Amino acid sequence: MGQAKAKAKRKADFLAKHQICCCCGIAPAIELDHCPARVFFTARVAPQGYEFPACHGCNQTVRNVEQVVAC
């Protein structure tokens, strides 16, 4: 299995187990949120275990703030 396929499978498996956004607690989780954000890690690669289920709205809400803090 290629690296991209393995990453997609890990994401799909994670979201299958964690179906609700951890931020709002209402919307379906369709994205992975990283805490702290990936911008804080070398080459934007966060260690495993720093991922949380998030809906698109919640994940995008903090995106700009995280980039400003990283600077």
Side-chain angles (χ1 to χ4, degrees):
M1 183 179 299
Q3 191 175 15
K5 286 184 180 182
K7 182 178 178 180
K9 182 172 177 1
R10 279 193 307 272
K11 178 181 177 181
D13 291 347
F14 182 84
L15 292 175
K17 293 177 186 174
H18 309 282
Q19 298 180 2
I20 303 297
C21 175
C22 70
C23 299
C24 67
I26 299 169
I30 59 169
E31 298 180 1
L32 297 181
D33 192 8
H34 298 83
C35 186
R38 290 184 301 161
V39 296
F40 294 108
F41 296 99
T42 304
R44 296 177 49 100
V45 177
Q48 288 187 349
Y50 287 84
E51 299 170 334
F52 301 91
C55 66
H56 181 75
C58 289
N59 199 14
Q60 294 303 309
T61 299
V62 296
R63 182 178 185 183
N64 292 334
V65 175
E66 291 169 342
Q67 290 178 353
V68 169
V69 172
C71 289

